[in-house]
Amino acid sequence: MVGLVLSVLFSFIVMKLNLTTGIIPSLNVSAGLLGFFFVKTWTKFLEKTGWLRQPFTRQENTVIQTCVVASSGISFSGGFGSYLFGMSEVIAKQSTDFNDAQNVKNPQIAWMIGFLFVVSFIGLFSVVPLRKIMVIDFKLIYPSGTATAHLINSFHTPQGAKIAKKQVKTLGKFFSFSFLWGFFQWFFTAGDNCGFESFPTFGLKAFQNRFYFDFSATYVGVGMICPHIINVSVLLGSILSWGIMWPLIGDKAGVWYSASLSSSSLHGLQGYRVFISIAMILGDGLYNFVKVLSRTFIGLSREIRDKRNAVLPVADRNSPASTVPSYDDERRTKLFLKDQIPLWLAVGGYVTIAIISIITLPHIFHPLKWYYILVLYIFAPILAFCNAYGCGLTDWSLASTYGKLAIFIIGAWAGASHGGVLAGLAACGVMMNIVSTASDLSQDFKTGYLTLASPRSMFISQVIGTAMGCVISPCVFWIFYKAFPDMGQQGTQYPAPNAVVYRSMAMLGVEGFSSLPDHCLQLCYGFFAISIFINAIRDSVGKKWAKYIPLPMAMAIPFYLGSYFAIDMFVGTVIIFVWQKLNKAKADTFGPAVASGLICGDGIWTLPSSVLAMAKVNPPICMKFLSRATNIKVDAFLNPS
């Protein structure tokens, strides 16, 4: 029950983040903290009534955490802000190419639930046989899984329980503030560009170039959770693009591209924004793909060469004690290997779901032929293993990179005349779900190993969470889709930027570079190379200096979207930076709780605001900002005397 309540809460939050910027921070701390709070409250009540038979343990906390993360993870890997919404007519109409019936599929709740049930479970079965190799033999760190385990373990100590109680209180305060702030802002949004979210903080000219603070509690919270370098990278990217490049390219209207094109046409200025952003994302993705893959193969070859003493970059090589397992490790290993998940179940489950997928998916997406799906499922376990292994080494899931790879390969294979765009996007969905679920489950197995939770109960919890996500996420998306008819359009409350990016990638895979405006290809080549070069410098200078070099992937996000959320995130990073300077211990303990409260409160406000929009209850006031000259004209028009 707790898992279900938190899954709905986090699905709304992830969906909102998906449809606004696509930046989703780790919400593991919030899930662990809220899971602990809800069950602890319930057990306290049972204790007072005398019905309590079992105490609340860290194992149950881990199971709740696994269930919630698996469920809300579908809101991301389900593609509601990327490939799946990218299939829709709303996104297709923003381009003059490939918006015919065979390349468009509008969201419907029935086929979305069916599609997710078919593709979301197969990743679980692909990685189960390898869990002992990953966690015990290779001793992979899985930083997020390890951090979550330490957090849950700390809750279940007397001192930790006291701190957790204070953290929950802090989270509750900022949750209430964020929710009420969202409610207050709603009253002033009666039209386009109305309200605090369209406040021209740095002047009207800056506002036109999307430089303004939009008073979003969500993105201030995201900025507090994300590392400083990510927030600074996003701000640098927005200054480079909206402050320098787009105004300069905008001056070339009529020379590089037709000045009569609409603002959303990919053959005009919008094309430069989207495709240069894609070039940076692909450059960053390719570099990290090669880096993680090479680390994976180097690690594997070392492991095979010396099975007894694995010399991996994740073990403490200098410590002689590392070869002798501690009592804790022996106990964890014994419990981890006790509840075996049979190999026949994993292989049988994978093959069965693969057969069902091959039969059903071509009926949902007609251009996606059965043999495309068969090829994807042959290579998927290898890629799922690589992603799970790489995630254990670097904490970096490359699920979206593997998805983009599928877009280009299947899109080009299907071809322009046979619905290649739709086939590529659907193939992306299949691949992303498999590799994303595999790395998530591996993280969860590491958490379970460190909290002494049964691997079998972890697996069942992941299956239940995935099943819940396959129903909850499409329903939450449907609420947004019906409540906000302008969703997916540039400049609206929910522009779904990644949907445009993913569809543009599919179009690029199908028709090549012929659709790009003048000089766009040369700029794309340049930014692709710059992206790889910056990453190479980051890796060559060492950790001490790497933290001062921006991340190309983060820089690319505002290229298409604008700077407003970058300023929100920078405000968040400044708050946490100053707090850490004043009182580091307090900032580290309560910072994530404050940030989670801001994100959760604003995220939950989207539920009543969606209901109000569907009930046709409109805000009463439009707060708008005009220049002095425009204001004189408006006054003259309203008061002709």
Side-chain angles (χ1 to χ4, degrees), residues 350-406:
Y350 188 90
V351 172
T352 306
I353 295 173
I355 291 167
I356 293 167
S357 298
I358 289 165
I359 294 166
T360 55
L361 285 179
H363 291 287
I364 299 173
F365 308 106
H366 299 302
L368 190 68
K369 306 299 180 193
W370 67 269
Y371 43 89
Y372 300 159
I373 305 161
L374 178 63
V375 170
L376 288 172
Y377 281 145
I378 289 167
F379 289 102
I382 303 161
L383 299 178
F385 168 75
C386 289
N387 195 43
Y389 189 100
C391 196
L393 286 174
T394 62
D395 207 28
W396 197 301
S397 174
L398 296 172
S400 55
T401 307
Y402 290 109
K404 287 160 195 163
L405 207 63

CSV table of all heavy atoms in Angstrom, one decimal, residues 350-406:
chain,number,residue,atom,x,y,z
A,350,TYR,N,12.4,-14.7,-20.1
A,350,TYR,CA,12.9,-13.9,-21.2
A,350,TYR,C,12.4,-14.3,-22.6
A,350,TYR,O,11.9,-13.5,-23.3
A,350,TYR,CB,14.4,-13.9,-21.2
A,350,TYR,CG,15.0,-12.9,-22.2
A,350,TYR,CD1,15.3,-11.6,-21.8
A,350,TYR,CD2,15.3,-13.2,-23.5
A,350,TYR,CE1,15.9,-10.6,-22.6
A,350,TYR,CE2,15.8,-12.3,-24.4
A,350,TYR,CZ,16.1,-11.0,-23.9
A,350,TYR,OH,16.6,-10.1,-24.8
A,351,VAL,N,12.5,-15.6,-22.8
A,351,VAL,CA,12.1,-16.2,-24.1
A,351,VAL,C,10.6,-16.0,-24.3
A,351,VAL,O,10.1,-15.6,-25.4
A,351,VAL,CB,12.5,-17.7,-24.2
A,351,VAL,CG1,11.9,-18.3,-25.5
A,351,VAL,CG2,14.0,-17.8,-24.3
A,352,THR,N,9.8,-16.3,-23.2
A,352,THR,CA,8.3,-16.2,-23.3
A,352,THR,C,7.9,-14.7,-23.7
A,352,THR,O,7.1,-14.5,-24.6
A,352,THR,CB,7.7,-16.6,-22.0
A,352,THR,OG1,8.1,-17.9,-21.7
A,352,THR,CG2,6.1,-16.6,-22.1
A,353,ILE,N,8.5,-13.8,-22.9
A,353,ILE,CA,8.1,-12.4,-23.1
A,353,ILE,C,8.5,-11.9,-24.5
A,353,ILE,O,7.8,-11.2,-25.2
A,353,ILE,CB,8.6,-11.5,-22.0
A,353,ILE,CG1,8.0,-11.8,-20.7
A,353,ILE,CG2,8.4,-10.0,-22.3
A,353,ILE,CD1,8.6,-11.1,-19.5
A,354,ALA,N,9.7,-12.4,-25.0
A,354,ALA,CA,10.2,-12.0,-26.3
A,354,ALA,C,9.3,-12.5,-27.4
A,354,ALA,O,9.0,-11.8,-28.3
A,354,ALA,CB,11.6,-12.6,-26.5
A,355,ILE,N,8.8,-13.7,-27.2
A,355,ILE,CA,7.8,-14.3,-28.2
A,355,ILE,C,6.5,-13.5,-28.2
A,355,ILE,O,6.0,-13.1,-29.3
A,355,ILE,CB,7.5,-15.8,-27.9
A,355,ILE,CG1,8.8,-16.6,-28.2
A,355,ILE,CG2,6.3,-16.3,-28.8
A,355,ILE,CD1,8.7,-18.1,-27.7
A,356,ILE,N,6.0,-13.2,-27.0
A,356,ILE,CA,4.8,-12.4,-26.9
A,356,ILE,C,5.0,-11.0,-27.6
A,356,ILE,O,4.1,-10.5,-28.3
A,356,ILE,CB,4.3,-12.2,-25.4
A,356,ILE,CG1,3.9,-13.5,-24.9
A,356,ILE,CG2,3.2,-11.2,-25.3
A,356,ILE,CD1,3.8,-13.6,-23.3
A,357,SER,N,6.2,-10.4,-27.3
A,357,SER,CA,6.5,-9.1,-27.9
A,357,SER,C,6.5,-9.1,-29.4
A,357,SER,O,6.0,-8.2,-30.1
A,357,SER,CB,7.8,-8.6,-27.4
A,357,SER,OG,7.8,-8.4,-26.0
A,358,ILE,N,7.2,-10.2,-30.0
A,358,ILE,CA,7.4,-10.3,-31.4
A,358,ILE,C,6.0,-10.4,-32.1
A,358,ILE,O,5.8,-9.9,-33.2
A,358,ILE,CB,8.3,-11.5,-31.8
A,358,ILE,CG1,9.7,-11.2,-31.4
A,358,ILE,CG2,8.2,-11.9,-33.2
A,358,ILE,CD1,10.7,-12.3,-31.3
A,359,ILE,N,5.0,-11.1,-31.4
A,359,ILE,CA,3.7,-11.3,-32.0
A,359,ILE,C,2.9,-10.0,-31.8
A,359,ILE,O,2.2,-9.6,-32.8
A,359,ILE,CB,3.0,-12.5,-31.2
A,359,ILE,CG1,3.7,-13.8,-31.6
A,359,ILE,CG2,1.5,-12.5,-31.7
A,359,ILE,CD1,3.3,-14.9,-30.7
A,360,THR,N,2.9,-9.3,-30.6
A,360,THR,CA,2.0,-8.2,-30.4
A,360,THR,C,2.5,-6.9,-30.8
A,360,THR,O,1.6,-6.0,-31.3
A,360,THR,CB,1.7,-8.1,-28.8
A,360,THR,OG1,2.9,-8.0,-28.1
A,360,THR,CG2,0.9,-9.3,-28.3
A,361,LEU,N,3.8,-6.5,-30.7
A,361,LEU,CA,4.2,-5.2,-31.1
A,361,LEU,C,3.9,-4.7,-32.5
A,361,LEU,O,3.6,-3.6,-32.7
A,361,LEU,CB,5.7,-5.0,-30.7
A,361,LEU,CG,6.1,-4.9,-29.2
A,361,LEU,CD1,7.6,-4.8,-29.0
A,361,LEU,CD2,5.4,-3.7,-28.6
A,362,PRO,N,4.1,-5.6,-33.5
A,362,PRO,CA,3.7,-5.2,-34.9
A,362,PRO,C,2.2,-4.8,-35.0
A,362,PRO,O,1.9,-4.0,-36.0
A,362,PRO,CB,4.1,-6.4,-35.7
A,362,PRO,CG,5.1,-7.1,-35.0
A,362,PRO,CD,4.7,-7.0,-33.5
A,363,HIS,N,1.4,-5.3,-34.1
A,363,HIS,CA,0.0,-4.9,-34.2
A,363,HIS,C,-0.2,-3.5,-33.6
A,363,HIS,O,-1.2,-2.8,-34.0
A,363,HIS,CB,-0.9,-5.9,-33.4
A,363,HIS,CG,-1.0,-7.2,-34.1
A,363,HIS,ND1,-1.7,-7.4,-35.3
A,363,HIS,CD2,-0.4,-8.4,-33.9
A,363,HIS,CE1,-1.6,-8.7,-35.7
A,363,HIS,NE2,-0.8,-9.3,-34.8
A,364,ILE,N,0.6,-3.1,-32.6
A,364,ILE,CA,0.6,-1.8,-32.0
A,364,ILE,C,1.2,-0.8,-33.0
A,364,ILE,O,0.7,0.3,-33.2
A,364,ILE,CB,1.2,-1.8,-30.6
A,364,ILE,CG1,0.5,-2.7,-29.7
A,364,ILE,CG2,1.2,-0.3,-30.0
A,364,ILE,CD1,1.2,-2.9,-28.3
A,365,PHE,N,2.4,-1.1,-33.5
A,365,PHE,CA,3.2,-0.2,-34.4
A,365,PHE,C,3.4,-1.0,-35.7
A,365,PHE,O,4.3,-1.8,-35.8
A,365,PHE,CB,4.5,0.2,-33.8
A,365,PHE,CG,4.5,0.7,-32.4
A,365,PHE,CD1,4.9,0.0,-31.3
A,365,PHE,CD2,4.0,2.0,-32.2
A,365,PHE,CE1,4.8,0.5,-30.0
A,365,PHE,CE2,3.9,2.6,-30.9
A,365,PHE,CZ,4.3,1.8,-29.8
A,366,HIS,N,2.5,-0.7,-36.7
A,366,HIS,CA,2.6,-1.4,-38.0
A,366,HIS,C,3.9,-1.4,-38.7
A,366,HIS,O,4.4,-2.4,-39.2
A,366,HIS,CB,1.4,-1.0,-38.9
A,366,HIS,CG,0.1,-1.2,-38.3
A,366,HIS,ND1,-0.4,-2.4,-37.9
A,366,HIS,CD2,-0.9,-0.3,-38.0
A,366,HIS,CE1,-1.6,-2.3,-37.4
A,366,HIS,NE2,-1.9,-1.0,-37.4
A,367,PRO,N,4.7,-0.2,-38.7
A,367,PRO,CA,6.0,-0.2,-39.4
A,367,PRO,C,7.0,-1.1,-38.7
A,367,PRO,O,8.1,-1.4,-39.3
A,367,PRO,CB,6.4,1.3,-39.4
A,367,PRO,CG,5.1,2.0,-39.1
A,367,PRO,CD,4.3,1.1,-38.2
A,368,LEU,N,6.8,-1.4,-37.4
A,368,LEU,CA,7.8,-2.2,-36.6
A,368,LEU,C,7.6,-3.7,-36.9
A,368,LEU,O,6.8,-4.3,-36.3
A,368,LEU,CB,7.7,-1.9,-35.1
A,368,LEU,CG,8.8,-2.4,-34.2
A,368,LEU,CD1,10.2,-1.7,-34.5
A,368,LEU,CD2,8.5,-2.3,-32.8
A,369,LYS,N,8.4,-4.2,-37.9
A,369,LYS,CA,8.2,-5.6,-38.3
A,369,LYS,C,8.7,-6.6,-37.2
A,369,LYS,O,9.6,-6.2,-36.4
A,369,LYS,CB,8.9,-5.9,-39.6
A,369,LYS,CG,8.5,-4.9,-40.8
A,369,LYS,CD,7.1,-5.0,-41.1
A,369,LYS,CE,6.7,-4.1,-42.2
A,369,LYS,NZ,5.2,-3.9,-42.4
A,370,TRP,N,8.2,-7.8,-37.3
A,370,TRP,CA,8.6,-8.8,-36.3
A,370,TRP,C,10.1,-9.1,-36.3
A,370,TRP,O,10.7,-9.3,-35.2
A,370,TRP,CB,7.8,-10.1,-36.5
A,370,TRP,CG,8.1,-10.8,-37.7
A,370,TRP,CD1,7.5,-10.7,-39.0
A,370,TRP,CD2,9.1,-11.8,-37.9
A,370,TRP,NE1,8.1,-11.5,-39.9
A,370,TRP,CE2,9.1,-12.2,-39.3
A,370,TRP,CE3,10.1,-12.4,-37.0
A,370,TRP,CZ2,10.0,-13.2,-39.8
A,370,TRP,CZ3,11.0,-13.3,-37.6
A,370,TRP,CH2,10.9,-13.7,-38.9
A,371,TYR,N,10.7,-9.1,-37.4
A,371,TYR,CA,12.2,-9.4,-37.5
A,371,TYR,C,13.0,-8.3,-36.9
A,371,TYR,O,14.1,-8.5,-36.4
A,371,TYR,CB,12.6,-9.8,-38.9
A,371,TYR,CG,12.1,-8.9,-40.0
A,371,TYR,CD1,12.8,-7.8,-40.5
A,371,TYR,CD2,10.9,-9.3,-40.7
A,371,TYR,CE1,12.3,-7.0,-41.5
A,371,TYR,CE2,10.4,-8.5,-41.7
A,371,TYR,CZ,11.1,-7.4,-42.1
A,371,TYR,OH,10.6,-6.6,-43.1
A,372,TYR,N,12.5,-7.0,-36.9
A,372,TYR,CA,13.3,-5.9,-36.2
A,372,TYR,C,13.3,-6.2,-34.7
A,372,TYR,O,14.4,-6.1,-34.1
A,372,TYR,CB,12.6,-4.6,-36.4
A,372,TYR,CG,12.4,-4.1,-37.8
A,372,TYR,CD1,11.5,-3.1,-38.1
A,372,TYR,CD2,13.2,-4.5,-38.9
A,372,TYR,CE1,11.3,-2.6,-39.4
A,372,TYR,CE2,13.1,-4.1,-40.2
A,372,TYR,CZ,12.1,-3.1,-40.4
A,372,TYR,OH,11.9,-2.6,-41.7
A,373,ILE,N,12.2,-6.7,-34.2
A,373,ILE,CA,12.0,-6.9,-32.7
A,373,ILE,C,12.9,-8.1,-32.4
A,373,ILE,O,13.6,-8.1,-31.3
A,373,ILE,CB,10.6,-7.2,-32.3
A,373,ILE,CG1,9.7,-6.0,-32.8
A,373,ILE,CG2,10.4,-7.4,-30.8
A,373,ILE,CD1,8.2,-6.3,-32.9
A,374,LEU,N,12.9,-9.2,-33.2
A,374,LEU,CA,13.8,-10.3,-33.0
A,374,LEU,C,15.2,-10.0,-32.9
A,374,LEU,O,15.9,-10.4,-31.9
A,374,LEU,CB,13.6,-11.4,-34.1
A,374,LEU,CG,14.4,-12.7,-34.0
A,374,LEU,CD1,14.0,-13.5,-32.8
A,374,LEU,CD2,14.2,-13.5,-35.3
A,375,VAL,N,15.7,-9.1,-33.8
A,375,VAL,CA,17.1,-8.7,-33.8
A,375,VAL,C,17.4,-7.9,-32.5
A,375,VAL,O,18.4,-8.1,-31.8
A,375,VAL,CB,17.4,-7.8,-35.0
A,375,VAL,CG1,18.8,-7.1,-34.9
A,375,VAL,CG2,17.4,-8.6,-36.3
A,376,LEU,N,16.4,-7.0,-32.1
A,376,LEU,CA,16.6,-6.2,-30.8
A,376,LEU,C,16.7,-7.2,-29.6
A,376,LEU,O,17.6,-7.0,-28.8
A,376,LEU,CB,15.4,-5.3,-30.6
A,376,LEU,CG,15.3,-4.1,-31.5
A,376,LEU,CD1,14.0,-3.4,-31.3
A,376,LEU,CD2,16.5,-3.1,-31.3
A,377,TYR,N,15.9,-8.2,-29.6
A,377,TYR,CA,15.9,-9.1,-28.4
A,377,TYR,C,17.1,-10.1,-28.4
A,377,TYR,O,17.5,-10.6,-27.4
A,377,TYR,CB,14.6,-9.9,-28.4
A,377,TYR,CG,13.5,-9.1,-27.8
A,377,TYR,CD1,12.2,-9.3,-28.2
A,377,TYR,CD2,13.7,-8.2,-26.8
A,377,TYR,CE1,11.1,-8.5,-27.7
A,377,TYR,CE2,12.7,-7.5,-26.2
A,377,TYR,CZ,11.4,-7.6,-26.7
A,377,TYR,OH,10.4,-6.9,-26.1
A,378,ILE,N,17.7,-10.3,-29.6
A,378,ILE,CA,19.0,-11.1,-29.6
A,378,ILE,C,20.1,-10.3,-29.0
A,378,ILE,O,20.9,-10.9,-28.2
A,378,ILE,CB,19.3,-11.5,-31.1
A,378,ILE,CG1,18.3,-12.6,-31.6
A,378,ILE,CG2,20.7,-12.1,-31.2
A,378,ILE,CD1,18.3,-12.9,-33.1
A,379,PHE,N,20.2,-9.0,-29.3
A,379,PHE,CA,21.3,-8.2,-28.8
A,379,PHE,C,21.1,-7.6,-27.5
A,379,PHE,O,22.0,-7.2,-26.8
A,379,PHE,CB,21.7,-7.1,-29.8
A,379,PHE,CG,22.3,-7.6,-31.1
A,379,PHE,CD1,21.6,-7.8,-32.3
A,379,PHE,CD2,23.7,-8.0,-31.1
A,379,PHE,CE1,22.2,-8.2,-33.4
A,379,PHE,CE2,24.3,-8.5,-32.2
A,379,PHE,CZ,23.6,-8.6,-33.4
A,380,ALA,N,19.8,-7.5,-27.1
A,380,ALA,CA,19.4,-6.8,-25.8
A,380,ALA,C,20.1,-7.4,-24.6
A,380,ALA,O,20.6,-6.6,-23.8
A,380,ALA,CB,17.9,-6.9,-25.7
A,381,PRO,N,20.2,-8.7,-24.4
A,381,PRO,CA,20.8,-9.2,-23.1
A,381,PRO,C,22.3,-8.7,-23.0
A,381,PRO,O,22.8,-8.4,-21.9
A,381,PRO,CB,20.7,-10.7,-23.2
A,381,PRO,CG,19.6,-11.0,-24.2
A,381,PRO,CD,19.6,-9.8,-25.1
A,382,ILE,N,23.0,-8.7,-24.1
A,382,ILE,CA,24.4,-8.3,-24.1
A,382,ILE,C,24.5,-6.8,-23.7
A,382,ILE,O,25.3,-6.4,-22.9
A,382,ILE,CB,25.1,-8.4,-25.5
A,382,ILE,CG1,25.0,-9.9,-26.0
A,382,ILE,CG2,26.5,-8.0,-25.5
A,382,ILE,CD1,25.2,-10.1,-27.4
A,383,LEU,N,23.6,-6.0,-24.3
A,383,LEU,CA,23.6,-4.5,-24.0
A,383,LEU,C,23.1,-4.3,-22.6
A,383,LEU,O,23.6,-3.4,-21.9
A,383,LEU,CB,22.7,-3.8,-25.0
A,383,LEU,CG,23.2,-3.9,-26.5
A,383,LEU,CD1,22.2,-3.1,-27.4
A,383,LEU,CD2,24.6,-3.3,-26.7
A,384,ALA,N,22.1,-5.1,-22.2
A,384,ALA,CA,21.6,-5.0,-20.8
A,384,ALA,C,22.8,-5.3,-19.8
A,384,ALA,O,22.9,-4.6,-18.8
A,384,ALA,CB,20.5,-5.9,-20.5
A,385,PHE,N,23.5,-6.3,-20.1
A,385,PHE,CA,24.7,-6.7,-19.2
A,385,PHE,C,25.7,-5.5,-19.2
A,385,PHE,O,26.2,-5.1,-18.1
A,385,PHE,CB,25.3,-8.0,-19.7
A,385,PHE,CG,26.7,-8.2,-19.0
A,385,PHE,CD1,26.7,-8.6,-17.7
A,385,PHE,CD2,27.9,-8.0,-19.7
A,385,PHE,CE1,27.9,-8.9,-17.0
A,385,PHE,CE2,29.1,-8.2,-19.0
A,385,PHE,CZ,29.1,-8.7,-17.7
A,386,CYS,N,26.0,-5.0,-20.4
A,386,CYS,CA,27.0,-3.9,-20.5
A,386,CYS,C,26.5,-2.7,-19.7
A,386,CYS,O,27.3,-2.0,-19.0
A,386,CYS,CB,27.2,-3.5,-21.9
A,386,CYS,SG,28.1,-4.7,-22.9
A,387,ASN,N,25.2,-2.4,-19.8
A,387,ASN,CA,24.7,-1.2,-19.1
A,387,ASN,C,24.7,-1.4,-17.6
A,387,ASN,O,25.1,-0.5,-16.8
A,387,ASN,CB,23.3,-0.9,-19.6
A,387,ASN,CG,22.8,0.5,-19.1
A,387,ASN,OD1,23.6,1.4,-19.2
A,387,ASN,ND2,21.6,0.6,-18.7
A,388,ALA,N,24.3,-2.6,-17.1
A,388,ALA,CA,24.3,-3.0,-15.7
A,388,ALA,C,25.7,-2.9,-15.1
A,388,ALA,O,26.0,-2.4,-14.0
A,388,ALA,CB,23.7,-4.3,-15.5
A,389,TYR,N,26.7,-3.5,-15.9
A,389,TYR,CA,28.1,-3.5,-15.5
A,389,TYR,C,28.7,-2.1,-15.4
A,389,TYR,O,29.3,-1.7,-14.4
A,389,TYR,CB,28.9,-4.4,-16.4
A,389,TYR,CG,30.3,-4.7,-15.9
A,389,TYR,CD1,30.6,-5.9,-15.3
A,389,TYR,CD2,31.3,-3.8,-16.1
A,389,TYR,CE1,31.9,-6.2,-14.8
A,389,TYR,CE2,32.6,-4.0,-15.6
A,389,TYR,CZ,32.9,-5.2,-15.0
A,389,TYR,OH,34.1,-5.5,-14.5
A,390,GLY,N,28.4,-1.4,-16.5
A,390,GLY,CA,28.9,0.0,-16.6
A,390,GLY,C,28.4,0.9,-15.5
A,390,GLY,O,29.0,1.8,-14.9
A,391,CYS,N,27.1,0.7,-15.2
A,391,CYS,CA,26.4,1.4,-14.1
A,391,CYS,C,27.0,1.1,-12.7
A,391,CYS,O,27.2,2.0,-11.9
A,391,CYS,CB,24.9,1.1,-14.1
A,391,CYS,SG,23.9,2.2,-13.2
A,392,GLY,N,27.5,-0.1,-12.5
A,392,GLY,CA,28.1,-0.6,-11.3
A,392,GLY,C,29.5,0.1,-11.1
A,392,GLY,O,29.9,0.4,-10.0
A,393,LEU,N,30.2,0.4,-12.3
A,393,LEU,CA,31.5,1.0,-12.2
A,393,LEU,C,31.4,2.5,-12.1
A,393,LEU,O,32.1,3.1,-11.3
A,393,LEU,CB,32.3,0.7,-13.5
A,393,LEU,CG,32.8,-0.7,-13.7
A,393,LEU,CD1,33.4,-0.8,-15.1
A,393,LEU,CD2,33.9,-1.0,-12.7
A,394,THR,N,30.5,3.1,-12.8
A,394,THR,CA,30.5,4.6,-13.0
A,394,THR,C,29.2,5.3,-12.4
A,394,THR,O,29.2,6.5,-12.4
A,394,THR,CB,30.6,5.0,-14.5
A,394,THR,OG1,29.5,4.5,-15.2
A,394,THR,CG2,31.9,4.4,-15.1
A,395,ASP,N,28.2,4.5,-12.1
A,395,ASP,CA,26.9,5.0,-11.7
A,395,ASP,C,26.2,5.7,-12.9
A,395,ASP,O,25.3,6.6,-12.7
A,395,ASP,CB,27.0,6.0,-10.5
A,395,ASP,CG,25.7,6.0,-9.7
A,395,ASP,OD1,25.0,5.0,-9.7
A,395,ASP,OD2,25.4,7.0,-9.1
A,396,TRP,N,26.6,5.4,-14.1
A,396,TRP,CA,26.1,6.1,-15.3
A,396,TRP,C,25.3,5.1,-16.1
A,396,TRP,O,25.8,4.2,-16.7
A,396,TRP,CB,27.3,6.6,-16.1
A,396,TRP,CG,26.9,7.7,-17.1
A,396,TRP,CD1,26.0,7.5,-18.1
A,396,TRP,CD2,27.4,9.0,-17.2
A,396,TRP,NE1,25.9,8.7,-18.9
A,396,TRP,CE2,26.8,9.6,-18.3
A,396,TRP,CE3,28.3,9.7,-16.5
A,396,TRP,CZ2,27.0,10.9,-18.7
A,396,TRP,CZ3,28.6,11.0,-16.9
A,396,TRP,CH2,27.9,11.6,-17.9
A,397,SER,N,24.0,5.3,-16.2
A,397,SER,CA,23.1,4.4,-17.0
A,397,SER,C,23.0,5.0,-18.4
A,397,SER,O,22.7,6.2,-18.6
A,397,SER,CB,21.7,4.3,-16.4
A,397,SER,OG,20.9,3.6,-17.3
A,398,LEU,N,23.4,4.2,-19.4
A,398,LEU,CA,23.4,4.7,-20.8
A,398,LEU,C,22.1,4.3,-21.5
A,398,LEU,O,22.2,4.1,-22.8
A,398,LEU,CB,24.6,4.2,-21.5
A,398,LEU,CG,26.0,4.7,-21.0
A,398,LEU,CD1,27.1,4.0,-21.6
A,398,LEU,CD2,26.1,6.2,-21.2
A,399,ALA,N,21.0,4.1,-20.8
A,399,ALA,CA,19.8,3.6,-21.4
A,399,ALA,C,19.4,4.4,-22.6
A,399,ALA,O,19.0,3.9,-23.7
A,399,ALA,CB,18.7,3.5,-20.4
A,400,SER,N,19.4,5.8,-22.4
A,400,SER,CA,18.9,6.6,-23.5
A,400,SER,C,19.9,6.6,-24.7
A,400,SER,O,19.4,6.7,-25.9
A,400,SER,CB,18.8,8.1,-23.0
A,400,SER,OG,19.9,8.6,-22.5
A,401,THR,N,21.2,6.3,-24.5
A,401,THR,CA,22.1,6.2,-25.6
A,401,THR,C,21.8,5.0,-26.4
A,401,THR,O,21.9,5.0,-27.6
A,401,THR,CB,23.6,6.2,-25.0
A,401,THR,OG1,23.8,7.3,-24.2
A,401,THR,CG2,24.6,6.2,-26.1
A,402,TYR,N,21.6,3.8,-25.7
A,402,TYR,CA,21.2,2.6,-26.4
A,402,TYR,C,19.9,2.8,-27.2
A,402,TYR,O,19.7,2.3,-28.3
A,402,TYR,CB,21.1,1.4,-25.4
A,402,TYR,CG,22.4,1.0,-24.8
A,402,TYR,CD1,22.6,1.2,-23.5
A,402,TYR,CD2,23.3,0.3,-25.6
A,402,TYR,CE1,23.8,0.8,-22.9
A,402,TYR,CE2,24.5,-0.1,-25.0
A,402,TYR,CZ,24.8,0.1,-23.7
A,402,TYR,OH,26.0,-0.3,-23.1
A,403,GLY,N,19.0,3.5,-26.6
A,403,GLY,CA,17.7,3.8,-27.3
A,403,GLY,C,17.9,4.6,-28.5
A,403,GLY,O,17.3,4.3,-29.6
A,404,LYS,N,18.8,5.6,-28.5
A,404,LYS,CA,19.1,6.5,-29.7
A,404,LYS,C,19.8,5.6,-30.8
A,404,LYS,O,19.5,5.8,-32.0
A,404,LYS,CB,20.0,7.7,-29.3
A,404,LYS,CG,19.2,8.7,-28.5
A,404,LYS,CD,20.2,9.6,-27.7
A,404,LYS,CE,19.4,10.4,-26.7
A,404,LYS,NZ,20.3,11.0,-25.7
A,405,LEU,N,20.6,4.7,-30.3
A,405,LEU,CA,21.3,3.7,-31.3
A,405,LEU,C,20.2,3.0,-32.0
A,405,LEU,O,20.3,2.8,-33.3
A,405,LEU,CB,22.1,2.8,-30.5
A,405,LEU,CG,23.4,2.2,-31.1
A,405,LEU,CD1,24.4,3.2,-31.5
A,405,LEU,CD2,24.0,1.2,-30.2
A,406,ALA,N,19.2,2.5,-31.3
A,406,ALA,CA,18.1,1.7,-31.9
A,406,ALA,C,17.3,2.6,-32.9
A,406,ALA,O,16.8,2.2,-34.0
A,406,ALA,CB,17.1,1.2,-30.8
